[in-house]
Amino acid sequence: MQPLLKFMHTYCFAVALLLLGLTTPALAVPLTSLLKPGTFIDSGALRFDEFSYESQGDMAAPELVEVEVIGGINDDDGILIRGNFLDLGGDRTASSASISYRVTLIDPDAEAVIQGVDMGAEFLLPGLGYADLNASFLADFPGAKLEVLQISTHNFGSSPGARASDSEYLPLPSNRRLNVVMDRIDAFSSSGFTADEAGVTLFEQTFTVVPEPQTGFLLGLGLFGLALAGSRS
């Protein structure tokens, strides 16, 4: 019963914080701060660290990129990355960037696992061109399979362009630590004679954290026992 009691204690503590209004406010930090060894940012039960960043072409410099904590007690925890990941056009060459980081459950003894990721983005595409995001997720255990999630948008003359958004959900094998690589943040503005922008203005990744299968089973068994005891009384 120890895993069940521990999970119920954590859940009740979280609910108490919500009722008292003691939730953590949104936190945004410059990406340059997180590129330093040993730095991290926490979102709920998750810690994000070991950031790296590379850019080519017109993509934002690291000092112009911010990382913000999102989520809370009732939502999946994660981060939002904001910056001008754009291609300005005019030279007929694409621009690209890549961001990588690690996400880990803060409490090493928590009876919980990461079991999915939701990725969303806002695109800016007033003229002809395209923009896409490609993310890879690798769980930190032997034999883990590389999971890939991609979202994109384009304007080749069939739509008026401007702003758009998209999101996708990817189930993940149960794990306690993930290596995340946004290995392709691509943008291309095909307006050769103007400086029309094409690209991504922000993207976010939130992670689904659930009780471990054994803990979930014990919790369900406990709730069943309470219901059975109530029906007998």
Side-chain angles (χ1 to χ4, degrees):
M1 293 296 291
Q2 285 297 324
L4 174 60
L5 292 174
K6 187 172 184 177
F7 178 77
M8 291 297 292
H9 177 269
T10 302
Y11 177 79
C12 292
F13 178 70
V15 172
L17 286 180
L18 178 62
L19 293 175
L20 292 173
L22 298 179
T23 55
T24 303
L27 172 67
V29 298
L31 177 61
T32 48
S33 299
L34 295 170
L35 295 176
K36 300 174 183 177
T39 58
F40 58 86
I41 187 170
D42 291 341
S43 176
L46 301 175
R47 172 160 295 173
F48 299 80
D49 63 359
E50 297 191 1
F51 282 81
S52 68
Y53 179 70
E54 295 181 358
S55 63
Q56 295 181 343
D58 304 318
M59 292 282 167
E63 58 268 21
L64 300 178
V65 178
E66 287 189 336
V67 181
E68 181 178 328
V69 169
I70 56 176
I73 293 175
N74 292 325
D75 301 307
D76 291 340
D77 298 313
I79 56 175
L80 181 149
I81 300 177
R82 192 187 307 273
N84 289 327
F85 304 100
L86 305 174
D87 181 65
L88 301 181
D91 58 2
R92 295 189 181 278
T93 59
S95 298
S96 63
S98 64
I99 296 178
S100 65
Y101 62 86
R102 183 178 67 173
V103 54
T104 310
L105 286 168
I106 296 174
D107 183 358
D109 299 321
E111 302 289 341
V113 291
I114 303 170
Q115 210 170 63
V117 58
D118 198 313
M119 183 169 74
E122 290 189 3
F123 299 98
L124 178 64
L125 203 63
L128 301 180
Y130 69 84
D132 64 61
L133 294 172
N134 190 88
S136 301
F137 305 88
L138 183 62
D140 191 10
F141 59 79
K145 177 185 174 183
L146 187 68
E147 306 286 346
V148 178
L149 182 59
Q150 182 179 32
I151 55 177
S152 62
T153 189
H154 62 79
N155 180 12
F156 296 142
S158 60
S159 63
R163 294 185 178 272
S165 61
D166 194 9
S167 66
E168 292 287 344
Y169 180 78
L170 176 68
L172 294 172
S174 298
N175 64 93
R176 301 174 65 83
R177 176 178 292 170
L178 281 171
N179 294 303
V180 182
V181 181
M182 305 288 297
D183 53 353
R184 196 171 73 240
I185 307 171
D186 289 338
F188 176 62
S189 173
S190 60
S191 300
F193 303 102
T194 67
D196 283 346
E197 300 171 334
V200 183
T201 55
L202 66 85
F203 58 89
E204 64 181 38
Q205 291 178 348
T206 56
F207 296 85
T208 304
V209 177
V210 300
E212 282 186 309
Q214 178 185 6
T215 306
F217 172 77
L218 291 173
L219 177 61
L221 188 62
L223 293 175
F224 175 77
L226 289 174
L228 185 61
S231 64
R232 289 178 175 178
S233 61

